[in-house]
Amino acid sequence: DANQDGKISKDEFLVYILGDEELTFSGDFQNEGRSAELSATLRALGGSFGPPASPRIPEGVPQRRSTASRATTPSGEGMVGVVLTALKTHGTSSAEVAQAACMTLWNVAYSDKDGAREKIVQSGGVSALVRVMRRHATVVPIQEAGCGVLWALSHSGSASRASVSREGGLDVAVAVLTRGAPTPTLLESACATLGNLALEPAQKQTLKRLGATQLVERAMQSFPGDGDLQAAGCMSLNNLM
């Protein structure tokens, strides 16, 4: 069984990958039925790997206000437009805005409410995200949230994966692994993004030329006790073969 924090031990992970038993995930993976989807994906170890929800709201960003007095709640599509405008306008100059916007996009891309992922791609969201991640390359929360968005978008089919790769998402994910990272969450998101992108033959060849296999292996070795990172890394290595 999974631990209360949603992690699995190394032994449990190995048993699960070998197919001897089925694990029940808790925590983030249980949100809206994601446990079953993740379980099936990991068992196959060859398909697109879906992202977890953003684990937190950045310090200084208020929790959502009560909607009791509102007639309706903003749709995912409308929210995407507003947040992307903030990201494009202020994201490169303000780390605070960049972090808050990226966290929000991570959550809305995870839920994919009202086709939010497609809206992000069609509205130039990948390019805006990449610019911000390059500008704030040393700010870990921005990198974590940005890679979380890329992970979600790369889980949404060939057209979305093509946009992520073409507009720089592949390059920034590789850059994260090249630099190394102080948190397993960031490495997990970067590995999973590359694993999803590797489902496309052209992107797979590009990643292999860039040494993605070795980068994923190094990331896994950085936090051998983190089950989520190990799962994402194994999926990525499988897709890079």
Side-chain angles (χ1 to χ4, degrees):
D1 292 336
N3 298 328
Q4 290 183 353
D5 61 0
K7 305 289 186 181
I8 60 176
S9 70
K10 177 182 178 182
D11 290 341
E12 289 170 329
F13 174 71
L14 291 175
V15 169
Y16 180 64
I17 291 302
L18 292 173
D20 291 334
E21 66 176 336
E22 182 176 356
L23 297 181
T24 300
F25 288 83
S26 61
D28 286 338
F29 295 126
Q30 209 164 27
N31 292 347
E32 302 183 10
R34 297 295 283 189
S35 174
E37 179 181 348
L38 179 64
S39 212
T41 305
L42 282 177
R43 192 178 300 110
L45 271 182
S48 176
F49 189 57
S54 171
R56 62 185 181 279
I57 293 177
E59 182 180 356
V61 178
Q63 299 279 349
R64 175 187 284 185
R65 296 183 179 88
S66 171
T67 58
S69 61
R70 298 178 184 173
T72 59
T73 300
S75 68
E77 182 175 346
M79 184 184 297
V80 166
V82 172
V83 175
L84 279 178
T85 296
L87 186 68
K88 293 174 182 178
T89 305
H90 304 287
T92 55
S93 60
S94 169
E96 181 180 7
V97 173
Q99 182 176 340
C102 287
M103 283 287 188
T104 302
L105 289 175
W106 185 357
N107 279 320
V108 77
Y110 166 78
S111 67
D112 199 25
K113 181 179 179 181
D114 299 328
R117 295 177 189 172
E118 183 178 2
K119 176 67 173 178
I120 291 171
V121 171
Q122 292 181 346
S123 302
V126 176
S127 296
L129 189 69
V130 166
R131 285 194 297 272
V132 166
M133 292 180 69
R134 286 173 173 163
R135 175 65 180 83
H136 304 288
T138 62
V139 183
V140 173
I142 293 174
Q143 298 298 306
E144 285 183 346
C147 277
V149 178
L150 295 175
W151 182 357
L153 298 181
S154 67
H155 183 54
S156 297
S158 294
S160 184
R161 285 191 283 272
S163 294
V164 169
S165 180
R166 182 177 60 250
E167 296 176 31
L170 184 153
D171 292 334
V172 295
V174 167
V176 165
L177 295 184
T178 300
R179 288 192 302 267
T183 70
T185 298
L186 178 49
L187 294 175
E188 176 194 359
S189 297
C191 286
T193 298
L194 296 188
N196 286 345
L197 294 177
L199 291 172
E200 307 301 325
Q203 296 170 25
K204 178 178 179 178
Q205 293 306 312
T206 297
L207 287 168
K208 292 178 77 169
R209 287 196 302 271
L210 293 173
T213 298
Q214 292 73 27
L215 291 173
V216 171
E217 290 173 350
R218 189 177 71 180
M220 294 173 68
Q221 292 166 354
S222 298
F223 296 94
D226 190 275
D228 295 336
L229 170 57
Q230 299 304 309
C234 284
M235 180 278 297
S236 298
L237 293 175
N238 183 77
N239 290 354
L240 285 164
M241 287 192 298

